[in-house]
Amino acid sequence: MQKRAVFSLLILFALIPCTAKAQSAPESAASRPPPESEPADAALPEDATSQADTLLPADAALPAPFYLTQLWSLDFMLLACELTSGGIGFGVQYERQLFPHLALKGYFGHATMNTKYRDYYCVTVSFGAFAEWYPLSRELTKLYAAAGSYFDYLSYISKKEDIDDLSGNVLSFIPQLGYKLELPHNWLIDIHAEYKLPYKTEVEAYGRAESYIKRGLQYGVSVKHVLR
């Protein structure tokens, strides 16, 4: 009997800690504070906000396209020809679009040329006005055809002869055909050919000055700068 009583007490003492643990486990879980929930308007990371700021809204208007509607140009062909012949010259041209495919062009040029005739030099002043048509473009690029007139004033000078009366005007009709190639940094190259038809001549032609008076095919290359 004593052995059974001792054995029963050992079993009772062994079961008491297990029941205590089972009862304390739900209490500790219940007593644990709930996790803090993050607010709905939590701040985004810095890189995310910067990316969000750079995004455009869906209805944002795109920038309007740029159309080439006016041009300044320098006539380097005239300058090169006169410098290689012992003279000097320059030409300036301005173009402006009136309507899509249609534009106007004005020209001013000056040269002091060595005519290669005796010791004659010829001083020239030229004005030109043209109407232009661009069949392949709605702006001042690509293929174009033009027609207009030149007014040229010529005056000869000489160190050995008295030729003060050798001066006069030349009026010409000019049909023109050309093509404009676009370059970087708002520049273009204009390659053109024209046929000069003088219809009023008040001065004689000497040496290289014949290019202003006689009819014939002429060509040129101009470098143009875009005005924005």
Side-chain angles (χ1 to χ4, degrees):
M1 293 294 292
Q2 292 178 352
K3 291 181 179 180
R4 289 182 179 179
V6 172
F7 184 72
S8 299
L9 289 174
L10 292 174
I11 293 175
L12 181 60
F13 283 121
L15 292 175
I16 288 174
C18 295
T19 55
K21 288 181 181 180
Q23 292 177 0
S24 63
E27 291 178 0
S28 62
S31 62
R32 184 182 302 167
E36 296 182 0
S37 59
E38 295 182 358
D41 57 349
L44 294 174
E46 184 177 354
D47 57 347
T49 55
S50 61
Q51 292 179 2
D53 293 339
T54 58
L55 296 177
L56 294 174
D59 57 348
L62 295 176
F66 173 75
Y67 291 100
L68 187 58
T69 59
Q70 52 182 341
L71 285 172
W72 280 103
S73 65
L74 299 175
D75 190 352
F76 285 99
M77 181 65 72
L78 177 61
L79 177 61
C81 290
E82 299 309 325
L83 287 177
T84 56
S85 300
I88 191 170
F90 69 92
V92 180
Q93 199 173 86
Y94 177 71
E95 300 172 62
R96 187 175 184 87
Q97 187 182 75
L98 296 179
F99 307 101
H101 306 290
L102 184 63
L104 291 180
K105 175 171 63 178
Y107 175 83
F108 171 78
H110 167 73
T112 300
M113 69 168 67
N114 184 354
T115 64
K116 307 294 185 180
Y117 177 82
R118 298 183 182 176
D119 67 333
Y120 287 12
Y121 275 77
C122 182
V123 179
T124 68
V125 178
S126 302
F127 297 93
F130 293 82
E132 296 179 309
W133 176 54
Y134 291 82
L136 304 181
S137 175
R138 295 175 61 86
E139 51 183 343
L140 304 180
T141 57
K142 300 181 180 179
L143 181 70
Y144 69 91
S149 292
Y150 273 128
F151 168 84
D152 299 307
Y153 173 78
L154 284 73
S155 179
Y156 294 96
I157 55 177
S158 172
K159 294 181 179 179
K160 298 179 181 180
E161 301 180 36
D162 185 9
I163 53 174
D164 293 338
D165 57 338
L166 292 182
S167 62
N169 304 322
V170 180
L171 297 177
S172 306
F173 173 74
I174 309 285
Q176 215 175 56
L177 187 67
Y179 195 92
K180 291 189 176 75
L181 300 173
E182 296 188 58
L183 299 176
H185 306 295
N186 300 326
W187 291 92
L188 296 93
I189 287 183
D190 181 6
I191 304 171
H192 59 273
E194 60 190 30
Y195 196 86
K196 190 163 189 175
L197 297 167
Y199 59 86
K200 184 178 181 180
T201 303
E202 300 176 347
V203 64
E204 295 292 331
Y206 296 101
R208 294 179 59 244
E210 289 184 355
S211 61
Y212 285 84
I213 297 175
K214 70 177 183 180
R215 64 174 59 202
L217 183 65
Q218 301 178 354
Y219 61 91
V221 178
S222 299
V223 179
K224 300 177 181 289
H225 182 61
V226 180
L227 296 179
R228 291 182 179 268

